[in-house]
Every structure is written in structure tokens, then in C-alpha cells.
Amino acid sequence: MTDHFDVIIRNASIVDGTGANRFEGDVAIKGDRIAHVGGLKDATAEMVIDASGLVVAPGFIDAHTHDDRLLLSDPDMSPKVSQGVTTIIGGNCGISLAPMPRPIPNPVTPPLNLLDEDGRWYRFATFADYVAELEAHPAATNCAMLVGHSTLRVATMDDLAQPASPEQIAAMRAMVVEALGAGAIGVSTGLAYAPAIGSPTEEVIEICQPLRDRGGLYCTHMRDEGDMVVESLNETFRIGRDVGVPVVISHHKVVGAKNFGRSAETLKLIECQMATQEICLDCYPYAASSTILAPHLAANATRVTVTWSQSLPEFAGWDLTEIVKKLGGTQEDVIQRLLPAGAVYYRMDEGDVERILAFDQTMIGSDGLPHDEKPHPRLWGTFPRVLGHYSRRRGLFSLETAIHKMTGLTARNFGLADRGVVREGAFADLAIINPETVDEVATYDRPIAPSRGIEMVIVNGEIVWKDGKPSGRRPGRVLRRDAPDSQPPR
Ligand code: ZN
Ligand code: CU
């Protein structure tokens, strides 16, 4: 073959994202697509990359993020591309930056403040305005975005503790229609959080009705991930069935010491239910969670570390018990003084984390919080930790399976056509990694650190990460969902 390409990656070990075993070969890129996979002895290219000893995989898809604002405020997306991530799913846990047709409350209603503490970024009246901004100022990664139910409630309701009235439901449903028309791939809820906890199941079902005809997804941070986790799973299944759409169980976990081990029960329930309806789930590879600081969350954790505090910023990175010692008073008083604030909560069992990660259908999602002063290490470490710690060292699954959980499986579940796979004709989203050294560097103590062994990252045919730093290129696109009927056979 005497073809000429833009890029040829030679002598690679190719892990194609389908879960199949790796094979040796070359990968050629023309424009934004993979033009050839296999032997390419006589071909030439503008750029030849020697990948001897390295693995070429599809770029990773972060199934669960809060990068809605990061895409605009830090478009190099370093926490993500440094891990090999080329696409993020945003707008999770009920919080999306858009739409916000009226001024956001000041201070910003938690947990909407996780995306933006001071409210300046909640300035997109419609989802279309937000998508237009993402497309006018692309980021280094692709994104596919959800519209958040809590955002809709804050945009519509004055008393968030109440169920929405029929008029408010109609208004929120109209915003869902607008968002889906503008490119949103579904609706997310955060039923555990104050702005949505007063929302009955029926409200969610009513608001989500437009998903069915428009091929959208329902993603949920469930009402309860502790004592009532089974009830919450059943609520999630019911919403999926009643609306008639696939559901995504976000960051599946079981929290609180007395629930340790119950992932055996939840996974069995999920697996049974998968026979009758479409269910997906994601997981982050850590036994500590992270979100806003709140007394009821601190109450069932064995240790709490503050990740940011607007009132007392000097305590970012401190253990709550240390702050209590320093300031005096009860833990409850000290929490009130720190608010608004964020925290890491140690409240899961490592055995549950491993069982959920190893479950066949579990996708990898970071749930990273990019604006925290001292973030949970999942923001920078999730994907290399799965590859290094859980696959290579713990042997929980093969490298091929690990990569499938972050690529092919995720692209299929979210309906991202021609992504998440290395094959001729697919988009050239690629991660070139060293399978022997790939690892997390971020820790709870030093959480901001690029990973090891991520040699090069390519998005839509352009290099975005190389030699341990961002290239400055921003080829990212806003991806739409291809509902299953319209998806080409693969
Ligand atoms: Zn969540
Ligand atoms: Cu989340």
C-alpha cells in the first residue's frame, strides 16, 4: 500500500475497546478519522509515531463528570487529557450549568455551587446558548451533556422543599424539550440533594417524558446510597420503565458501615432487572466519596476532609476533627461555620468498590470536582488508577476489560457513534499508554498531579497531550446521542 496519511502510529499493541485481546499493528489517521488499522509497511505520513512497547487504545470516555464549566474556563482540560480521557459526559447529579433563564440565587444554591461558587457561569438562559458557547470556544476534549433536574428546579421554583406544581412541571418539561433539541443527551437527577429531595418520583417521571420520543437517557444520583439503597434502585428502575428509556445509575456505591458488603445484593438486583429493561451504571475507583459539606453526610463517615470552604478557605485540605480541635465547639457548629464548603468522606468498603468495578456492565466515571481547592484524587487519578492499581497490580480484570469499561462499553451505553473503538472509520480519539507504568500519581494528600504512563492523547485526529503537558489544541466537539435505532451496526 502506498497511501499517504496525516499520522501513522507504528508497532503498536492495539487494544480496540471492544474487550477483544490486543493485537500488533499500525494505526493510520486521516483528518479526524482512523483511516486504517493493521499492517502499513509502505505507507507514508506527515507524522510517524513509534509506539513500540506501547498500547494504543480508544481515548477514554469519562462516564460521569462535573466538567460543565471546566470546558469553558479551562479548555485544556488537563485533569482529563492527562489521564487519556478524550470525551466527558457532563451535567450529572442533577446539576448542569444550563439552562438558567433567571438570575441564580446568591449565594448559589448547593450543590449547584460545585460547578460555580459565585454564580457568574450560570449565565445561559437556554441550553442552546450553552451549546453555542461550547462550540464557539471548543475544549480539548469532546463532551456530551445532560440537563440537570436540580438546575431546572432552581430555575423554576422558589420553594425547593416542595413537590413541583403542574405548572412548574410543565415549565421544566418545556426546558427539557429545549435542551434535547439543542443537543443534550438526557436528563440527570440528584435526588439525594436538598434542591431535589422534595421531588416525588412522579414529578421526575413527568419531567422526563420528552426523553422517550427524543431518544434521551435518564441518569441518576439516587435518593439514597445507604440504608435505603434497594428502595432507591427500585425507584430508578420504575422511572426508566414508566418513561420508557434507559437509566444510568451514577457512581454506584453503598455507604455507611452497616451497609458494607451490600453491593452483592445491589448488583444481583441490577443484573436481574437488566433482563427486562435497559440499565447502565458507572463507578469511581475509590472508597471515599466527595461532594458538598453537609452534617448528615459527615455523620456516617469515618473521616471527613474539607476540600474547600468559602467562609474559612484556610481549612481546605484539613480533617474536620482537626478543625474542630482548632476552633472548638461541636462538629455541627464547625460545619456551619465552614459552609458553603466541600468535603471528602471516607464511608465505603473497599470490597464493595472492587465488586462493583469488576461487575461486567460497570463503566468508569471519575465524578471529579474540578473547582475544589483540594479535590478528591479521582479528578486526576481515576483512569490510571483503574489500569495500574486495579488491573495490573490487583488483577481484578485484564487490561482489555479495563479499557472496554472506559471506552467501547461507555460509547455504546451513551450512544456515541464511532467513538470508544479503534477501527477503520471511527473518530481518531486515541490514548497511547505504557501498560507497564501507567498509574495514578494523585493522592488524597497531593491530589493535583498528572498520571504516569499516558504518553500521548489524540482527539479528532489532533494531539492534545504530549510530553506530560497539554498541546494547546482544542479540537473537542459537542456530541449528540445516537439512539439505538439510528445506530449503525458495529
Ligand atoms: Zn453524584
Ligand atoms: Cu457526580
Side-chain angles (χ1 to χ4, degrees), residues 338-360:
L338 289 161
L339 294 179
V344 165
Y345 302 94
Y346 297 81
R347 55 182 187 140
M348 282 176 252
D349 174 44
E350 181 61 27
D352 284 319
V353 174
E354 291 203 347
R355 191 182 291 117
I356 293 169
L357 284 173
F359 182 67
D360 255 11

Side-chain angles (χ1 to χ4, degrees), residues 64 93 193 221 251 367:
H64 186 107
C93 297
Y193 289 111
H221 175 151
H251 45 60
D367 202 8

